[in-house]
């Protein structure tokens, strides 16, 4: 007997039939003798709709009211699932964030979880054998007593945080795919499902564009060493042996992974923009004059390259920002032109970042060099490069994204045989 958190995403609770199916998954684990807390998302598309309503009501709306509106999607699904469970004879009670409570910062629309009191849930497991159905994505700010939300995709983070708070043995994330793949299978049909992946590798995959899990949930998993199992909610509940090993991907600590490949996976993101500041005088303080104002404007700069300008005397600085910040970043540089002193601003939004990730890179040399050769052979021009201990990324023309991902997937031996 153990304690489990089961999290179901939007497509898994998209309508009443699906919710009934989720109830059967939950019943299976309860019947196997586990204490179960369930975390649900809103029905697929619901949160988008609620966000749109806020925008339509007023483009400059109050973030506290945005949270009051968008948190409602999860309120509905948690109540409905509790009803569906009761209807098949499983004791269940729904909980909203404020009722647990899940205490968060007051950064509305992107709040961080500060503390969760798991005591009440644990005692209800003991006294009543009652399943807790918890609304994901939401919490309460203790200072203001108002409802907060954790940022889009935040119910993954709710699930892992609750798993840590109730000392669960595992956090199961049920979704519309059956695990984490070496890359997006829609782009590379030969992508393989990973049996296990280390927290660190998963963190990089998620940060670099893989959309399976919210980044913050993986961070929490790593901090609390909470194993996260990504699996499909479309597997028939009655076909699953609760004591067996269903298909999925276990995200766990590196020590638990016996077979370590140098490269674990390849992520890509087209939500990038490139800005090049041309012909700046090459002297101390120039980088600060550019990146200082960007930081003040809360714009995240990712890749940075400095090189000699065409004239051979001055320097060019190229960097990337999220596509959504592109306009603001250009404006920020433009208004600092007097201080920076440059000749021209060039930019491109049809760029993509392709990242190769693997903690095995720590102990292997020449992993990136191989990629540069392979991309050159395909005539793919690299605009910028960044590297870290377990990852490197290249910025390329967006039109070549698929080709680059496929080339690298094959190069590093990730193709399914
Ligand atoms: N419903 C929220 C969203 O769509 C939270 C989640 O599903 O994780 O972002
Ligand atoms: Mg999600």
């Amino acid at each position: 007997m153990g304690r489990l958190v089961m999290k179901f995403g939007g497509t898994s609770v998209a309508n009443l039939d699906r919710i009934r199916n989720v109830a059967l998954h939950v019943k299976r684990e309860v019947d196997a003798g586990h204490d179960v807390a369930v975390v649900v998302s809103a029905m697929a598309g619901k949160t988008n709709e609620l966000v749109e309503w806020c925008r339509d009501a007023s483009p400059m709306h109050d973030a506290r009211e945005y949270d009051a509106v968008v948190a409602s999607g999860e309120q509905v699904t948690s109540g409905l699932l509790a009803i569906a469970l009761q209807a098949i004879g499983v004791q269940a009670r729904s909980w909203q964030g404020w009722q647990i409570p899940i205490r968060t910062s007051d950064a509305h629309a992107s709040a961080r979880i500060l503390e969760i009191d798991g005591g009440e849930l644990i005692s209800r497991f003991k006294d009543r054998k009652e399943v807790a159905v918890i609304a994901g994505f939401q919490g309460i700010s203790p200072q203001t007593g108002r409802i907060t939300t954790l940022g889009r995709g935040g119910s993954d983070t709710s699930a892992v945080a609750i798993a840590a708070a109730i000392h669960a043995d595992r956090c199961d994330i049920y979704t519309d795919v059956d695990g984490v793949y070496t890359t997006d299978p829609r782009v590379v049909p030969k992508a393989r499902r990973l049996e296990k992946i280390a927290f660190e590798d998963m963190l990089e995959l998620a940060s670099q564009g893989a959309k399976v899990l919210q980044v913050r949930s993986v961070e929490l998993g790593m901090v609390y060493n909470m194993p996260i199992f990504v699996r499909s909610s479309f597997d028939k509940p009655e076909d699953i042996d609760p004591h067996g090993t269903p298909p999925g991907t276990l995200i766990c600590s590196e020590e638990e992974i016996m077979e370590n490949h140098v490269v674990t996976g390849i992520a890509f993101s087209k939500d990038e923009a490139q800005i090049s500041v041309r012909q700046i005088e090459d002297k101390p303080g120039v980088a600060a004059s550019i990146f200082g104002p960007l930081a003040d404007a809360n714009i995240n700069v990712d890749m940075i390259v400095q090189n000699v300008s065409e004239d051979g005397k001055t320097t060019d600085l190229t960097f990337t920002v999220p596509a959504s910040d592109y306009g603001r970043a250009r404006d920020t540089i433009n208004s600092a032109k007097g201080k920076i002193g440059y000749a021209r601003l060039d930019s491109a939004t049809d760029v993509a970042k392709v990242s190769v990730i693997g903690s095995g890179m720590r102990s292997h040399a020449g992993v990136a060099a191989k990629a540069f050769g392979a991309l050159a052979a395909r005539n793919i021009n690299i605009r910028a490069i960044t590297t870290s201990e377990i990852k490197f990324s290249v910025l390329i023309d967006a039109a070549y994204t698929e080709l680059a991902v496929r080339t690298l997937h094959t190069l590093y031996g990730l193709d399914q045989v």
Side-chain angles (χ1 to χ4, degrees), residues 147-228:
I147 294 172
T148 54
T149 65
L150 308 178
R152 298 305 307 273
S155 52
D156 295 332
T157 301
S158 309
V160 177
I162 288 161
I166 64 170
H167 312 289
D169 298 296
R170 205 176 64 204
C171 181
D172 282 357
I173 306 269
Y174 287 79
T175 179
D176 49 7
V177 290
D178 64 353
V180 179
Y181 280 71
T182 48
T183 193
D184 188 339
R186 285 166 300 188
V187 170
V188 182
K190 284 183 182 157
R192 267 189 299 119
R193 180 165 53 77
L194 295 157
E195 289 294 323
K196 289 184 179 181
I197 181 172
F199 287 119
E200 278 187 293
D201 290 41
M202 189 63 222
L203 194 57
E204 290 287 1
L205 268 185
S207 312
Q208 301 306 325
K211 294 195 176 69
V212 206
L213 286 177
Q214 200 196 33
V215 175
R216 183 85 187 113
S217 70
V218 186
E219 272 170 9
L220 276 184
M222 187 149 90
V223 169
Y224 291 102
N225 200 9
M226 174 57 61
I228 303 171

Side-chain angles (χ1 to χ4, degrees), residues 7 9-10 40-43 47-48 70 74 136-137 151-156:
K7 185 257 166 179
V40 286
S41 290
M43 292 183 181
T47 309
N48 287 344
V70 300
E74 276 74 7
F137 184 49
R152 298 305 307 273
S155 52
D156 295 332

Side-chain angles (χ1 to χ4, degrees), residues 201-406:
D201 290 41
M202 189 63 222
L203 194 57
E204 290 287 1
L205 268 185
S207 312
Q208 301 306 325
K211 294 195 176 69
V212 206
L213 286 177
Q214 200 196 33
V215 175
R216 183 85 187 113
S217 70
V218 186
E219 272 170 9
L220 276 184
M222 187 149 90
V223 169
Y224 291 102
N225 200 9
M226 174 57 61
I228 303 171
F229 188 52
V230 180
R231 55 192 292 182
S232 169
S233 68
F234 295 128
D235 293 339
K236 287 215 187 77
E238 61 272 23
D239 292 348
I240 297 173
D241 169 8
H243 304 290
T245 336
T249 300
L250 186 69
I251 308 168
C252 57
S253 69
E254 216 172 315
E255 295 85 69
E256 283 164 57
I257 301 177
M258 302 303 282
E259 198 194 355
N260 226 334
H261 294 281
V262 178
V263 169
T264 309
I266 297 172
F268 57 91
S269 154
K270 293 181 182 172
D271 301 326
E272 311 284 325
Q274 175 192 331
I275 295 180
S276 297
V277 190
R278 304 280 186 211
Q279 299 184 11
I280 320 161
E281 195 188 332
D282 197 3
K283 60 168 196 223
V286 161
S289 71
I290 294 176
F291 298 116
L294 289 170
D296 292 342
N298 235 324
I299 295 171
N300 249 326
V301 173
D302 183 20
M303 313 174 102
I304 301 177
V305 184
Q306 181 172 0
N307 54 271
V308 177
S309 313
E310 299 149 3
D311 63 11
K313 286 181 263 172
T314 52
T315 187
D316 287 358
L317 247 165
T318 294
F319 58 89
T320 63
V321 296
S324 53
D325 285 336
Y326 168 68
R328 281 205 308 129
R330 273 197 69 118
D331 292 348
T332 306
I333 301 295
N334 269 325
S335 31
K337 182 165 186 182
K339 279 227 180 77
I340 307 168
Y342 59 86
R344 203 172 75 239
L345 208 59
D346 289 339
S347 48
T349 49
D350 51 350
V351 292
K353 182 173 64 170
V354 177
S355 304
V356 176
I357 292 140
S359 30
M361 277 187 214
R362 266 197 219 103
S363 47
H364 283 79
V367 181
K370 236 170 111 176
F372 304 150
L375 294 175
R378 299 272 183 176
N379 246 325
I380 300 174
N381 187 36
I382 300 174
R383 292 161 167 261
I385 302 170
T386 50
T387 64
S388 77
E389 237 193 340
I390 66 164
K391 177 206 87 185
F392 67 89
S393 307
V394 294
L395 190 74
I396 59 171
D397 290 349
Y400 293 110
T401 315
E402 280 77 14
L403 179 62
V405 173
R406 274 191 212 129

